Amino acid sequence: MDARTIAFQLRAAYQGLKVTDIYKGREAYEVIAKLDRNNGRQMDDFENFFLFTGKAEAIPLSRVAQVQEKRDYSRIAHVNHRRTVNIYGDVDGVLANTSEIIAGLQRDFMPGLRERYPDIRFHFKGEVENGTETKLSILSGFGLGALGVFLLLSLQFRNYREPFIVLLNIPLALIGAIWGHFIMGLDFTLPSMIGFVSLAGVVVNDSILLVEFVKYRVREGMVFHDAAR
């Protein structure tokens, strides 16, 4: 009686073993034999489990194997051929936000865990990963949009100085957004970024009107600073 034989008989008893096939017309049905699942007596059945030798002799499992109880994973997950453990959680918005929790983990928890387990790797998925992708998409789209506006205004104004003045108002508008969040006690989150991108479009429109108005008044003979005021 070796370990392979013991494992095979235990697996056959609890997972089932194909005995034969029964055919009904063109359909084939498998006949599988395994222990009856008697709820509440699984451990008793295991402790009283008998193994059978090649001579059909029944031997108690406790005579040929040492059984130790320990906790194990309910399932083993792999991502890209690497063993993984997934940790899920919901954020209580009243106590903290996702960014604060992630920053706290990276600052207080992960360095110590990496010292104990140097081969471990961390990856943030779900809302965190989607939020990061959205932020990068917003920033890249905002940059391309600003470049496109600069080129269009350069064609309209026929110089590069006035388009630069128009776009200079975008970061100045960000100052108001930051102070507004600070006064109201709000965090600068993903919806805030989307709102700021929308605000930038309004600021660009107002800046174009301002530059055109100043130029119009200067052409009428007004002093530049008076026209700007």
Side-chain angles (χ1 to χ4, degrees):
M1 186 69 66
D2 55 12
R4 183 176 181 179
T5 303
I6 296 173
F8 175 79
Q9 294 193 29
L10 283 171
R11 179 179 179 84
Y14 288 94
Q15 298 294 329
L17 180 66
K18 180 179 176 181
V19 178
T20 184
D21 290 320
I22 294 179
Y23 292 90
K24 186 176 182 181
R26 294 184 177 181
E27 296 292 334
Y29 297 91
E30 294 181 347
V31 178
I32 298 176
K34 62 181 178 179
L35 285 179
D36 184 21
R37 291 186 177 181
N38 190 351
N39 293 330
R41 294 197 54 186
Q42 289 92 340
M43 293 303 300
D44 294 337
D45 293 338
F46 182 77
E47 292 175 355
N48 298 322
F49 189 81
F50 279 84
L51 301 169
F52 293 90
T53 64
K55 298 180 180 180
E57 297 175 345
I59 303 175
L61 175 64
S62 58
R63 293 284 302 274
V64 295
Q66 294 180 353
V67 180
Q68 296 179 349
E69 295 183 17
K70 69 175 184 178
R71 185 172 180 176
D72 207 348
Y73 297 105
S74 58
R75 66 185 183 90
I76 300 176
H78 289 82
V79 176
N80 295 330
H81 306 289
R82 294 184 63 88
R83 181 90 168 263
T84 62
V85 176
N86 299 322
I87 302 174
Y88 301 91
D90 295 322
V91 178
D92 188 348
V94 178
L95 301 178
N97 59 39
T98 305
S99 300
E100 292 176 342
I101 295 175
I102 296 301
L105 284 172
Q106 293 175 336
R107 181 183 63 252
D108 303 326
F109 177 72
M110 291 183 180
L113 194 62
R114 281 198 176 97
E115 290 180 0
R116 286 185 292 168
Y117 307 100
D119 296 332
I120 199 170
R121 294 183 181 181
F122 298 97
H123 296 281
F124 293 99
K125 300 290 185 179
E127 178 185 344
V128 179
E129 184 181 38
N130 295 334
T132 302
E133 292 179 357
T134 304
K135 289 178 182 178
L136 294 176
S137 177
I138 291 175
L139 292 176
S140 60
F142 179 73
L144 292 175
L147 178 61
V149 169
F150 182 80
L151 295 176
L152 290 175
L153 292 180
S154 300
L155 295 175
Q156 178 182 349
F157 293 135
R158 290 182 173 81
N159 61 67
Y160 297 108
R161 183 182 69 257
E162 293 173 1
F164 178 76
I165 295 175
V166 171
L167 296 181
L168 183 63
N169 289 275
I170 295 178
L172 296 178
L174 181 61
I175 297 175
I178 293 175
W179 274 106
H181 281 73
F182 178 75
I183 293 174
M184 299 183 66
L186 300 175
D187 297 308
F188 203 84
T189 58
L190 185 60
S192 303
M193 294 181 60
I194 298 175
F196 172 71
V197 172
S198 302
L199 174 64
V202 178
V203 169
V204 168
N205 290 334
D206 292 343
S207 300
I208 294 173
L209 292 176
L210 177 62
V211 171
E212 285 292 334
F213 181 82
V214 172
K215 291 170 61 178
Y216 177 75
R217 292 301 184 186
V218 170
R219 284 195 299 267
E220 287 185 339
M222 186 178 294
V223 179
F224 176 79
H225 289 86
D226 293 337
R229 184 170 62 248

